[in-house]
Amino acid sequence: MIRPGNALLDAFIAGPDRAVQKWIDYFDAYDRLLSPWRGRALTFLEIGVQNGGSLMMWRDYLGPDARIIGVDVDPNCRAMTEHGFEIWIGDQADPAFWDGFKAAVPSVDVVLDDGGHTMRQQLVTFDALFPIVSNGGLFMVEDTHTSYFPSHGGGAPGHPGTWMARVKDLIDQMHAWYHAPIDTADQVMAAVTIPSITIFDSLVAIEKRRRSPPIALARGDGGHQKNPPAMDYIAMRRALRVPDGGV
């Protein structure tokens, strides 16, 4: 069920001659994730252009100040340059392609991977592009159910080398403050740059934002137990007998 007043659905409906397909649950998810970006100057990268309908939908939704870039392996997608979009033709599973892209586009605010959905494509794309996502930006991957499809390199839950296996690993890394060796926790990429990972059905959104080490604050002096005014993750670990060398 899509909530009334969904501006992305309005943009989807606005172009009946545009070839575009989205799972119905995506409209609420994307409106929730991307509504703060509407009307702003941002660089939005979509991998998977196909017929270009989604690029037009995103432009209608995000507004005229958005710089929208499309990437596809099909040279026919260059036709979308006639509509004012920047189009790159290349294989998203090729790290060398992304090296060339990043030399020309050193920073993006939002990445949407709606490409080929194979495990190699999704993993190579994340490894290549997450480092250039701006502070406060988003990295999103569609059709993550392919992690369970052997045809795309996936398999049953727990199958190694899938995108969803990487997401589960990132969740653990995001919490490295609480289990990694204390002297290395602040060197774990996800711990210092990923404050949230939002998982929807077949869609994952990873926020990138520089983080400080966790600290808990307390106020008020009522009650029979006194709380310290502040406790960092190191004090918490030691209070709970977590070894400094990690678990």
Side-chain angles (χ1 to χ4, degrees), residues 29-142:
Y30 279 135
D31 195 41
R32 170 180 161 185
L33 293 165
L34 296 174
S35 58
W37 293 92
R38 297 186 69 206
R40 294 171 54 184
L42 77 150
T43 299
F44 183 97
L45 169 62
E46 181 172 40
I47 299 143
V49 173
Q50 203 173 45
N51 295 300
S54 60
L55 293 179
M56 293 183 173
M57 178 186 73
W58 292 122
R59 183 164 61 190
D60 285 352
Y61 178 76
L62 294 170
D65 292 330
R67 176 190 181 188
I68 299 178
I69 305 172
V71 168
D72 204 289
V73 72
D74 182 357
N76 291 317
C77 293
R78 285 198 180 95
M80 291 306 298
T81 59
E82 299 176 5
H83 298 276
F85 299 104
E86 299 175 46
I87 302 297
W88 284 70
I89 304 300
D91 181 0
Q92 72 173 117
D94 181 4
F97 165 73
W98 290 121
D99 288 342
F101 176 88
K102 291 185 290 184
V105 185
S107 178
V108 295
D109 298 301
V110 177
V111 175
L112 171 55
D113 183 356
D114 185 22
H117 311 306
T118 70
M119 299 306 99
R120 175 168 173 79
Q121 288 170 323
Q122 291 173 337
L123 293 171
V124 167
T125 300
F126 177 77
D127 289 340
L129 295 184
F130 192 75
I132 68 165
V133 173
S134 64
N135 188 47
L138 282 172
F139 189 100
M140 303 178 294
V141 183
E142 283 193 11

Side-chain angles (χ1 to χ4, degrees), residues 188-205:
V188 178
M189 180 275 292
V192 296
T193 63
I194 298 179
S196 71
I197 299 174
T198 307
I199 301 172
F200 305 89
D201 184 349
S202 304
L203 174 66
V204 172

